Amino acid sequence: MSPLARPRPLPVSRPGPGELRVGMAVFDRHYDMPAEITGFAGPMVLLTRPTGLHWRVHPISLRPATPYEERQLLALAALHRTRLRGR
């Protein structure tokens, strides 16, 4: 097979600078978990999990969350609310 005939891998989807917004569900490839954008601090993006975990990350390690990862965040939020009620 010639080098030109080999299929090229699909590019990894990365949000551009104007595509990130507060409230957006993203997947942090550095920490390997989904989170929600809560703000921006200079070049860094502020992320939060439903359990209250907060951290900062460079936007290059983020990608939009898949529908499955968005459901993970919703399920985690429901579980956290249940645990806070003591059940």
Side-chain angles (χ1 to χ4, degrees):
M1 179 183 253
S2 77
L4 297 176
R6 289 186 191 141
R8 292 185 177 162
L10 294 174
V12 175
S13 173
R14 285 191 196 136
E19 296 178 31
L20 296 176
R21 62 190 182 286
V22 173
M24 180 179 185
V26 293
F27 186 83
D28 181 359
R29 289 184 287 243
H30 182 75
Y31 288 100
D32 200 32
M33 62 182 161
E36 184 178 314
I37 296 176
T38 56
F40 301 92
M44 304 301 281
V45 179
L46 307 175
L47 300 177
T48 300
R49 297 263 295 176
T51 57
L53 175 66
H54 302 279
W55 72 98
R56 294 175 186 213
V57 67
H58 197 275
I60 199 149
S61 71
L62 298 177
R63 65 166 172 76
T66 63
Y68 174 78
E69 292 160 348
E70 289 180 9
R71 288 192 306 270
Q72 277 183 315
L73 285 174
L74 293 173
L76 182 59
L79 176 65
H80 188 64
R81 281 191 306 272
T82 301
R83 286 189 174 174
L84 287 177
R85 283 194 303 245
R87 293 183 182 178

